[in-house]
Amino acid sequence: YKVTTIFNCAPAFRNLDPEFRSCTDLLVVNESEAEALVDFSVRTIEDARRALKSLLEQDGYSIGIIITLGENGCLFGERMANNSIRHFPAREIKAVDSIGAGDAFVGALAHYMSHSKNLNSIELDKAISLAVEYASLSVERKGAQASYYFINELEEKFRI
């Protein structure tokens, strides 16, 4: 069996052990966590793009790196596609409570990746898009776990 590892580096710290990076397939960080890893400000999509380029220069992360950007969705730097960087925008929503949105994103991402039969760029894009959507939905409700949709609600909402 092949096990895919997703590391949500929260809280992040600067000198992440290179051996640990080699065991991580997909790194997921938010803007402030990305700042800790690259040691420069990550406040805009362009800053995040620059941070991704810097992180992709490091060894490890065989699938790639995701930087979540709150209301701006996320950026994905994909190793399997020659370090291409793609933006996955979030839809415009009425935010009520953002607590737990990052956890919602990572949980949904792991769920959708685990249901992929062939983890290629197309399947990754689908999993990331759905994770962005799920995290967006989670901020429309109050609370952390209380804001998370059940799988049957998602299937109905997304028709999947």
Side-chain angles (χ1 to χ4, degrees), residues 3-87:
V3 175
T4 300
T5 59
I6 301 171
F7 178 42
N8 181 214
C9 192
F13 50 91
R14 182 73 176 124
N15 297 310
L16 192 59
D17 186 333
E19 185 175 337
F20 186 80
R21 291 194 313 256
S22 71
C23 298
T24 300
D25 295 310
L26 182 61
L27 175 69
V28 180
V29 293
N30 65 23
E31 295 132 309
S32 63
E33 294 156 355
E35 281 183 14
L37 293 174
V38 297
D39 207 24
F40 59 79
S41 178
V42 179
R43 301 277 188 250
T44 66
I45 293 173
E46 281 312 307
D47 293 342
R49 189 176 302 278
R50 190 171 132 231
L52 267 180
K53 289 178 182 177
S54 176
L55 291 168
L56 287 166
E57 289 174 1
Q58 300 174 353
D59 291 332
Y61 316 125
S62 63
I63 291 174
I65 301 160
I66 294 174
I67 299 178
T68 60
L69 305 167
E71 66 187 21
N72 291 313
C74 73
L75 283 180
F76 173 44
E78 185 183 3
R79 283 235 194 268
M80 301 184 315
N82 296 320
N83 294 343
S84 71
I85 296 175
R86 295 189 295 287
H87 181 221

Coordinates of all heavy atoms in Angstrom, one line a residue, residues 3-87:
V3 N 0.9 5.1 1.2 CA 0.3 6.0 2.1 C 0.7 7.4 1.7 O 1.9 7.7 1.5 CB 0.7 5.7 3.6 CG1 0.1 6.8 4.5 CG2 0.3 4.3 4.0
T4 N -0.3 8.3 1.5 CA 0.0 9.7 1.2 C -0.1 10.5 2.5 O -1.1 10.4 3.2 CB -1.1 10.2 0.2 OG1 -1.0 9.4 -1.0 CG2 -0.8 11.7 -0.1
T5 N 0.9 11.3 2.8 CA 0.9 12.1 4.0 C 0.6 13.5 3.7 O 1.2 14.1 2.7 CB 2.3 12.0 4.7 OG1 3.3 12.5 3.8 CG2 2.6 10.6 5.1
I6 N -0.2 14.1 4.5 CA -0.6 15.5 4.5 C -0.1 16.1 5.8 O -0.6 15.6 6.8 CB -2.1 15.8 4.3 CG1 -2.6 15.1 3.0 CG2 -2.4 17.2 4.3 CD1 -4.1 15.1 2.8
F7 N 0.7 17.1 5.8 CA 1.1 17.8 7.0 C 0.6 19.2 7.0 O 0.9 20.0 6.2 CB 2.7 17.8 7.0 CG 3.3 18.5 8.2 CD1 2.7 18.3 9.5 CD2 4.4 19.3 8.1 CE1 3.3 18.9 10.6 CE2 4.9 19.9 9.2 CZ 4.4 19.7 10.5
N8 N -0.3 19.4 8.0 CA -0.8 20.8 8.3 C 0.1 21.4 9.4 O 0.0 21.1 10.5 CB -2.2 20.7 8.7 CG -2.8 22.1 9.0 OD1 -3.6 22.2 9.9 ND2 -2.5 23.1 8.2
C9 N 1.1 22.1 8.9 CA 2.1 22.6 9.8 C 1.6 23.8 10.6 O 1.8 25.0 10.3 CB 3.3 23.0 8.9 SG 4.8 23.4 9.9
A10 N 0.9 23.5 11.7 CA 0.3 24.5 12.5 C 0.6 24.2 14.0 O 0.2 23.2 14.5 CB -1.2 24.6 12.3
P11 N 1.3 25.0 14.7 CA 2.0 26.2 14.2 C 3.3 25.9 13.5 O 3.9 24.9 13.8 CB 2.3 27.0 15.5 CG 2.4 25.9 16.6 CD 1.5 24.8 16.2
A12 N 3.7 26.7 12.6 CA 4.9 26.5 11.8 C 6.1 27.1 12.5 O 6.0 28.0 13.3 CB 4.7 27.1 10.4
F13 N 7.2 26.6 12.2 CA 8.5 27.1 12.7 C 9.5 27.0 11.6 O 9.4 26.2 10.7 CB 8.9 26.4 13.9 CG 9.0 24.9 13.8 CD1 10.1 24.2 13.4 CD2 7.8 24.1 14.1 CE1 10.1 22.8 13.2 CE2 7.8 22.8 13.9 CZ 9.0 22.1 13.5
R14 N 10.5 27.9 11.7 CA 11.4 28.1 10.6 C 12.2 26.9 10.1 O 12.0 26.4 9.1 CB 12.4 29.3 10.9 CG 13.4 29.6 9.9 CD 12.7 30.4 8.7 NE 13.7 30.8 7.8 CZ 13.7 30.4 6.5 NH1 12.7 29.7 6.0 NH2 14.6 30.9 5.7
N15 N 13.0 26.3 10.8 CA 13.9 25.3 10.4 C 13.3 23.9 10.5 O 13.7 23.1 11.3 CB 15.2 25.3 11.1 CG 15.9 26.6 10.9 OD1 16.1 27.0 9.7 ND2 16.3 27.3 11.9
L16 N 12.4 23.6 9.6 CA 11.7 22.3 9.6 C 12.8 21.2 9.1 O 13.5 21.5 8.1 CB 10.5 22.3 8.6 CG 9.6 21.1 8.6 CD1 9.0 20.9 10.0 CD2 8.5 21.3 7.6
D17 N 12.9 20.2 9.8 CA 13.9 19.1 9.5 C 13.8 18.6 8.1 O 12.7 18.2 7.7 CB 13.7 18.0 10.5 CG 14.8 16.9 10.5 OD1 15.4 16.7 9.4 OD2 15.0 16.3 11.5
P18 N 14.8 18.7 7.3 CA 14.8 18.2 5.9 C 14.3 16.7 5.8 O 13.6 16.3 4.9 CB 16.2 18.3 5.4 CG 16.8 19.4 6.3 CD 16.1 19.2 7.6
E19 N 14.7 15.9 6.8 CA 14.3 14.5 6.8 C 12.7 14.4 7.0 O 12.1 13.6 6.3 CB 14.9 13.7 7.9 CG 14.6 12.2 7.9 CD 15.4 11.4 8.9 OE1 16.4 11.9 9.4 OE2 14.9 10.3 9.3
F20 N 12.2 15.3 7.8 CA 10.7 15.3 7.9 C 10.1 15.7 6.6 O 9.0 15.2 6.2 CB 10.3 16.3 9.1 CG 8.9 16.3 9.4 CD1 8.4 15.3 10.2 CD2 8.0 17.2 8.9 CE1 7.0 15.2 10.5 CE2 6.7 17.2 9.2 CZ 6.2 16.2 10.0
R21 N 10.6 16.7 6.0 CA 10.1 17.2 4.7 C 10.1 16.0 3.7 O 9.1 15.9 2.9 CB 10.9 18.3 4.1 CG 10.7 19.6 4.9 CD 11.3 20.8 4.1 NE 12.6 20.7 3.5 CZ 13.7 21.2 4.0 NH1 13.7 21.9 5.1 NH2 14.9 21.0 3.4
S22 N 11.1 15.2 3.7 CA 11.1 14.1 2.8 C 10.0 13.0 3.0 O 9.7 12.3 2.1 CB 12.5 13.4 2.8 OG 12.7 12.7 4.0
C23 N 9.5 13.0 4.2 CA 8.4 12.1 4.6 C 7.0 12.7 4.3 O 6.0 12.0 4.6 CB 8.5 11.7 6.0 SG 10.0 10.8 6.4
T24 N 7.0 13.9 3.9 CA 5.7 14.7 3.7 C 5.4 14.8 2.3 O 6.2 15.3 1.5 CB 5.8 16.1 4.4 OG1 6.1 15.9 5.8 CG2 4.5 16.8 4.2
D25 N 4.2 14.3 1.9 CA 3.8 14.4 0.5 C 3.2 15.7 0.1 O 3.5 16.3 -0.9 CB 2.8 13.3 0.1 CG 3.5 11.9 0.2 OD1 4.5 11.7 -0.4 OD2 2.9 11.0 0.8
L26 N 2.4 16.2 1.0 CA 1.7 17.5 0.8 C 1.7 18.3 2.1 O 1.2 17.9 3.1 CB 0.2 17.2 0.4 CG -0.6 18.4 0.0 CD1 -0.1 19.2 -1.2 CD2 -2.1 18.0 -0.3
L27 N 2.3 19.5 1.9 CA 2.4 20.5 3.1 C 1.2 21.5 2.9 O 1.0 22.0 1.8 CB 3.7 21.2 3.0 CG 3.8 22.3 4.1 CD1 3.9 21.8 5.5 CD2 5.1 23.2 3.7
V28 N 0.5 21.7 4.0 CA -0.6 22.7 4.0 C -0.3 23.7 5.1 O -0.2 23.3 6.3 CB -2.0 22.0 4.2 CG1 -3.1 23.1 4.1 CG2 -2.2 21.0 3.1
V29 N -0.3 25.0 4.7 CA 0.0 26.1 5.7 C -0.9 27.3 5.3 O -1.3 27.4 4.2 CB 1.4 26.5 5.7 CG1 2.3 25.4 6.3 CG2 1.9 27.0 4.4
N30 N -1.2 28.1 6.3 CA -1.9 29.3 6.0 C -0.8 30.4 5.8 O 0.4 30.2 5.9 CB -2.9 29.7 7.1 CG -2.3 30.0 8.5 OD1 -1.2 30.3 8.6 ND2 -3.1 29.8 9.5
E31 N -1.3 31.7 5.7 CA -0.3 32.8 5.4 C 0.7 33.0 6.5 O 1.9 33.1 6.3 CB -1.1 34.1 5.1 CG -1.9 34.1 3.9 CD -3.3 34.6 4.1 OE1 -4.0 34.1 5.1 OE2 -3.8 35.4 3.3
S32 N 0.2 33.0 7.8 CA 1.1 33.2 8.9 C 2.1 32.1 9.1 O 3.3 32.3 9.4 CB 0.4 33.6 10.2 OG -0.4 32.5 10.6
E33 N 1.6 30.9 8.8 CA 2.5 29.7 8.9 C 3.5 29.7 7.8 O 4.7 29.4 8.0 CB 1.7 28.4 8.9 CG 0.8 28.3 10.1 CD -0.4 27.4 10.0 OE1 -0.7 27.0 8.8 OE2 -1.1 27.2 11.0
A34 N 3.1 30.1 6.6 CA 4.0 30.3 5.5 C 5.1 31.3 5.8 O 6.3 31.1 5.5 CB 3.3 30.6 4.2
E35 N 4.7 32.4 6.4 CA 5.7 33.4 6.8 C 6.8 32.8 7.7 O 7.9 33.1 7.6 CB 5.0 34.5 7.6 CG 4.3 35.5 6.8 CD 3.6 36.7 7.6 OE1 4.0 36.8 8.8 OE2 2.8 37.4 7.0
A36 N 6.4 32.0 8.7 CA 7.3 31.4 9.6 C 8.3 30.5 8.8 O 9.5 30.4 9.2 CB 6.6 30.6 10.7
L37 N 7.8 29.8 7.8 CA 8.7 28.9 7.0 C 9.6 29.6 6.1 O 10.7 29.1 5.8 CB 7.8 27.9 6.3 CG 7.0 26.9 7.1 CD1 6.1 26.1 6.2 CD2 8.0 26.0 7.9
V38 N 9.2 30.8 5.6 CA 10.0 31.5 4.6 C 10.7 32.7 5.1 O 11.6 33.3 4.5 CB 9.3 31.8 3.3 CG1 8.8 30.6 2.6 CG2 8.1 32.8 3.6
D39 N 10.3 33.2 6.3 CA 10.9 34.3 6.9 C 10.7 35.6 6.2 O 11.6 36.5 6.2 CB 12.3 34.0 7.3 CG 12.8 34.8 8.5 OD1 12.0 35.2 9.3 OD2 14.0 35.1 8.5
F40 N 9.6 35.8 5.5 CA 9.2 37.1 4.9 C 7.7 37.2 5.0 O 7.0 36.2 5.1 CB 9.8 37.3 3.5 CG 9.4 36.4 2.5 CD1 8.1 36.4 1.8 CD2 10.3 35.4 2.1 CE1 7.8 35.5 0.8 CE2 10.0 34.5 1.1 CZ 8.7 34.5 0.5
S41 N 7.2 38.4 4.8 CA 5.7 38.6 5.0 C 4.9 38.0 3.9 O 5.3 38.1 2.7 CB 5.5 40.2 4.9 OG 4.1 40.4 5.0
V42 N 3.8 37.3 4.2 CA 2.9 36.7 3.3 C 1.5 37.3 3.5 O 0.8 36.8 4.4 CB 2.9 35.2 3.4 CG1 1.9 34.6 2.4 CG2 4.3 34.6 3.2
R43 N 1.2 38.4 2.8 CA 0.0 39.1 3.1 C -0.9 39.1 1.8 O -2.1 39.4 1.9 CB 0.3 40.6 3.5 CG 1.1 40.7 4.7 CD 0.2 40.6 5.9 NE 1.0 41.0 7.1 CZ 1.3 40.1 8.1 NH1 1.0 38.8 7.9 NH2 2.0 40.4 9.1
T44 N -0.4 38.9 0.7 CA -1.1 39.0 -0.6 C -1.0 37.7 -1.4 O -0.1 36.8 -1.0 CB -0.6 40.1 -1.5 OG1 0.7 39.8 -1.9 CG2 -0.6 41.5 -0.8
I45 N -1.8 37.5 -2.4 CA -1.6 36.4 -3.3 C -0.2 36.3 -3.9 O 0.4 35.2 -4.0 CB -2.7 36.3 -4.3 CG1 -4.1 36.1 -3.7 CG2 -2.5 35.2 -5.4 CD1 -5.3 36.2 -4.6
E46 N 0.3 37.5 -4.3 CA 1.6 37.5 -4.9 C 2.7 37.1 -3.8 O 3.7 36.4 -4.2 CB 1.9 38.8 -5.5 CG 1.3 39.0 -6.9 CD 1.5 37.8 -7.8 OE1 2.7 37.4 -8.0 OE2 0.5 37.3 -8.3
D47 N 2.5 37.6 -2.6 CA 3.5 37.1 -1.5 C 3.4 35.6 -1.4 O 4.4 35.0 -1.2 CB 3.1 37.7 -0.2 CG 3.3 39.2 -0.1 OD1 4.0 39.8 -0.9 OD2 2.7 39.8 0.8
A48 N 2.2 35.1 -1.4 CA 2.0 33.6 -1.3 C 2.7 32.9 -2.4 O 3.3 31.8 -2.3 CB 0.6 33.3 -1.1
R49 N 2.5 33.4 -3.6 CA 3.2 32.8 -4.8 C 4.7 32.8 -4.6 O 5.4 31.8 -4.9 CB 2.8 33.6 -6.0 CG 3.2 33.0 -7.4 CD 2.6 33.8 -8.5 NE 1.2 33.9 -8.5 CZ 0.3 33.0 -9.0 NH1 0.8 31.9 -9.4 NH2 -1.0 33.2 -8.9
R50 N 5.3 33.9 -4.1 CA 6.7 34.0 -3.9 C 7.1 33.0 -2.8 O 8.1 32.3 -2.9 CB 7.1 35.4 -3.4 CG 8.5 35.7 -3.4 CD 8.8 37.2 -3.2 NE 9.8 37.3 -2.1 CZ 9.7 38.1 -1.1 NH1 8.6 38.8 -0.9 NH2 10.6 38.1 -0.2
A51 N 6.3 32.8 -1.7 CA 6.6 31.9 -0.7 C 6.5 30.4 -1.2 O 7.4 29.6 -0.9 CB 5.6 32.0 0.5
L52 N 5.6 30.2 -2.1 CA 5.5 28.8 -2.7 C 6.7 28.5 -3.5 O 7.3 27.4 -3.4 CB 4.3 28.7 -3.6 CG 3.0 28.2 -3.0 CD1 1.9 28.1 -4.0 CD2 3.2 26.8 -2.4
K53 N 7.2 29.5 -4.3 CA 8.4 29.3 -5.1 C 9.6 29.0 -4.2 O 10.4 28.1 -4.5 CB 8.7 30.5 -6.0 CG 7.7 30.6 -7.1 CD 8.0 31.8 -8.0 CE 6.9 32.0 -9.1 NZ 7.1 33.2 -9.8
S54 N 9.7 29.7 -3.1 CA 10.8 29.5 -2.1 C 10.7 28.1 -1.5 O 11.7 27.4 -1.4 CB 10.7 30.6 -1.1 OG 11.7 30.3 -0.1
L55 N 9.5 27.7 -1.1 CA 9.3 26.4 -0.4 C 9.5 25.2 -1.4 O 10.1 24.2 -1.0 CB 7.9 26.3 0.2 CG 7.7 27.2 1.4 CD1 6.3 27.2 1.8 CD2 8.6 26.7 2.6
L56 N 9.2 25.5 -2.7 CA 9.3 24.4 -3.7 C 10.8 24.2 -4.0 O 11.2 23.2 -4.6 CB 8.5 24.7 -4.9 CG 7.0 24.5 -4.8 CD1 6.3 25.2 -5.9 CD2 6.7 23.0 -4.6
E57 N 11.7 25.2 -3.7 CA 13.1 25.0 -3.9 C 13.7 24.0 -2.9 O 14.8 23.5 -3.1 CB 13.8 26.3 -3.8 CG 13.5 27.3 -4.9 CD 14.1 28.6 -4.8 OE1 14.8 28.9 -3.7 OE2 13.9 29.5 -5.6
Q58 N 13.0 23.8 -1.8 CA 13.5 22.8 -0.8 C 13.2 21.4 -1.2 O 12.3 21.1 -2.0 CB 12.8 23.1 0.6 CG 13.0 24.4 1.1 CD 12.1 24.7 2.4 OE1 11.3 23.8 2.8 NE2 12.4 25.8 3.0
D59 N 14.0 20.5 -0.7 CA 13.7 19.0 -1.0 C 12.5 18.6 -0.2 O 12.1 19.2 0.8 CB 14.9 18.2 -0.6 CG 16.1 18.4 -1.5 OD1 15.9 18.7 -2.6 OD2 17.2 18.2 -1.0
G60 N 11.8 17.6 -0.7 CA 10.6 17.0 0.0 C 9.3 17.5 -0.6 O 9.3 18.0 -1.7
Y61 N 8.3 17.2 0.1 CA 6.9 17.5 -0.4 C 6.7 17.0 -1.8 O 6.5 17.7 -2.8 CB 6.7 19.0 -0.4 CG 7.2 19.7 0.9 CD1 8.0 20.8 0.8 CD2 6.7 19.3 2.2 CE1 8.5 21.5 2.0 CE2 7.2 20.0 3.3 CZ 8.0 21.0 3.2 OH 8.5 21.7 4.3
S62 N 6.6 15.6 -1.9 CA 6.6 15.0 -3.2 C 5.4 15.4 -4.1 O 5.5 15.4 -5.3 CB 6.7 13.5 -3.1 OG 5.5 13.0 -2.4
I63 N 4.3 15.7 -3.5 CA 3.1 16.1 -4.2 C 3.1 17.7 -4.4 O 2.9 18.2 -5.5 CB 1.8 15.7 -3.5 CG1 1.6 14.2 -3.6 CG2 0.6 16.4 -4.1 CD1 0.4 13.7 -2.8
G64 N 3.4 18.4 -3.3 CA 3.5 19.8 -3.4 C 3.2 20.5 -2.1 O 3.2 19.9 -1.0
I65 N 2.8 21.8 -2.2 CA 2.5 22.7 -1.1 C 1.3 23.5 -1.4 O 1.1 24.0 -2.5 CB 3.7 23.6 -0.8 CG1 5.0 22.8 -0.6 CG2 3.4 24.6 0.3 CD1 6.3 23.5 -0.8
I66 N 0.4 23.6 -0.4 CA -0.8 24.5 -0.4 C -0.6 25.6 0.6 O -0.3 25.3 1.8 CB -2.0 23.7 -0.2 CG1 -2.3 22.7 -1.3 CG2 -3.2 24.6 -0.1 CD1 -3.5 21.7 -1.1
I67 N -0.9 26.8 0.2 CA -1.0 27.9 1.1 C -2.4 28.4 1.1 O -2.9 28.8 0.0 CB 0.0 29.1 0.8 CG1 1.4 28.6 0.8 CG2 -0.3 30.3 1.8 CD1 2.5 29.7 0.5
T68 N -3.1 28.3 2.2 CA -4.5 28.7 2.3 C -4.5 30.2 2.5 O -3.7 30.8 3.2 CB -5.3 28.0 3.4 OG1 -4.7 28.3 4.6 CG2 -5.4 26.5 3.1
L69 N -5.5 30.9 1.8 CA -5.5 32.3 1.8 C -6.9 32.9 2.3 O -7.3 34.0 1.8 CB -5.3 32.8 0.4 CG -4.0 32.3 -0.3 CD1 -4.0 32.6 -1.8 CD2 -2.8 32.9 0.4
G70 N -7.5 32.2 3.2 CA -8.8 32.7 3.7 C -9.8 33.0 2.6 O -10.0 32.1 1.7
E71 N -10.3 34.2 2.5 CA -11.4 34.5 1.6 C -10.9 34.4 0.1 O -11.7 34.5 -0.8 CB -11.9 35.9 1.8 CG -10.9 37.0 1.7 CD -11.4 38.4 2.1 OE1 -12.4 38.4 2.9 OE2 -10.9 39.4 1.6
N72 N -9.6 34.4 -0.1 CA -9.0 34.3 -1.4 C -8.7 32.8 -1.8 O -8.1 32.6 -2.9 CB -7.7 35.1 -1.5 CG -8.0 36.6 -1.4 OD1 -8.9 37.1 -2.1 ND2 -7.2 37.3 -0.6
G73 N -9.2 31.8 -1.1 CA -9.0 30.4 -1.5 C -7.7 29.9 -1.1 O -7.3 30.0 0.1
C74 N -6.9 29.4 -2.1 CA -5.6 28.9 -1.8 C -4.8 28.9 -3.1 O -5.3 29.0 -4.2 CB -5.7 27.5 -1.2 SG -6.1 26.2 -2.3
L75 N -3.5 28.7 -2.9 CA -2.5 28.5 -4.0 C -1.9 27.1 -3.8 O -1.6 26.7 -2.6 CB -1.4 29.5 -3.9 CG -1.6 30.9 -4.4 CD1 -0.4 31.8 -4.3 CD2 -2.1 30.9 -5.9
F76 N -1.7 26.4 -4.9 CA -1.2 25.1 -4.8 C 0.1 25.0 -5.8 O 0.0 25.3 -6.9 CB -2.2 24.0 -5.3 CG -1.7 22.7 -5.5 CD1 -0.8 22.1 -4.5 CD2 -2.0 21.9 -6.6 CE1 -0.4 20.8 -4.7 CE2 -1.6 20.6 -6.8 CZ -0.8 20.0 -5.8
G77 N 1.2 24.7 -5.2 CA 2.4 24.5 -5.9 C 2.6 23.0 -6.1 O 2.8 22.3 -5.1
E78 N 2.4 22.5 -7.3 CA 2.4 21.1 -7.5 C 3.8 20.5 -8.1 O 4.2 20.9 -9.2 CB 1.3 20.7 -8.5 CG 1.2 19.2 -8.7 CD 0.1 18.8 -9.7 OE1 -0.5 19.6 -10.3 OE2 0.0 17.6 -9.8
R79 N 4.4 19.7 -7.3 CA 5.7 19.1 -7.8 C 5.4 18.2 -9.0 O 6.3 18.1 -9.8 CB 6.3 18.2 -6.6 CG 6.9 19.0 -5.6 CD 8.3 18.6 -5.4 NE 8.9 19.1 -4.2 CZ 9.5 20.2 -4.1 NH1 9.8 20.9 -5.2 NH2 10.0 20.7 -2.9
M80 N 4.3 17.5 -9.0 CA 4.1 16.5 -10.0 C 3.9 17.1 -11.4 O 3.8 16.5 -12.4 CB 2.9 15.6 -9.7 CG 3.1 14.8 -8.4 SD 1.8 13.6 -7.9 CE 0.3 14.5 -8.2
A81 N 3.7 18.5 -11.4 CA 3.5 19.2 -12.6 C 4.6 20.3 -12.7 O 4.3 21.5 -13.0 CB 2.1 19.8 -12.7
N82 N 5.8 19.9 -12.5 CA 7.0 20.8 -12.6 C 6.8 22.1 -11.8 O 7.1 23.2 -12.3 CB 7.2 21.2 -14.1 CG 7.6 19.9 -14.9 OD1 8.3 19.1 -14.4 ND2 7.1 19.8 -16.1
N83 N 6.4 21.9 -10.6 CA 6.2 23.1 -9.7 C 5.3 24.2 -10.2 O 5.4 25.3 -9.8 CB 7.6 23.7 -9.3 CG 8.4 22.7 -8.5 OD1 8.0 21.7 -8.0 ND2 9.7 23.0 -8.5
S84 N 4.3 23.8 -11.0 CA 3.3 24.8 -11.4 C 2.5 25.3 -10.2 O 2.3 24.5 -9.3 CB 2.4 24.2 -12.5 OG 1.5 23.2 -11.9
I85 N 2.1 26.5 -10.3 CA 1.4 27.1 -9.2 C 0.0 27.5 -9.7 O -0.1 28.2 -10.7 CB 2.1 28.4 -8.6 CG1 3.4 27.9 -8.0 CG2 1.2 29.1 -7.6 CD1 4.3 29.0 -7.5
R86 N -1.0 27.0 -9.0 CA -2.4 27.3 -9.4 C -3.2 27.9 -8.3 O -3.0 27.5 -7.1 CB -3.1 26.0 -9.9 CG -2.4 25.4 -11.2 CD -3.2 24.3 -11.8 NE -3.3 23.1 -11.0 CZ -2.3 22.2 -10.8 NH1 -1.1 22.4 -11.2 NH2 -2.5 21.1 -10.1
H87 N -4.0 28.8 -8.6 CA -4.9 29.5 -7.7 C -6.3 28.9 -7.7 O -6.8 28.7 -8.8 CB -5.0 31.0 -8.0 CG -5.8 31.8 -7.1 ND1 -6.7 32.8 -7.4 CD2 -5.9 31.7 -5.7 CE1 -7.3 33.3 -6.4 NE2 -6.8 32.7 -5.3

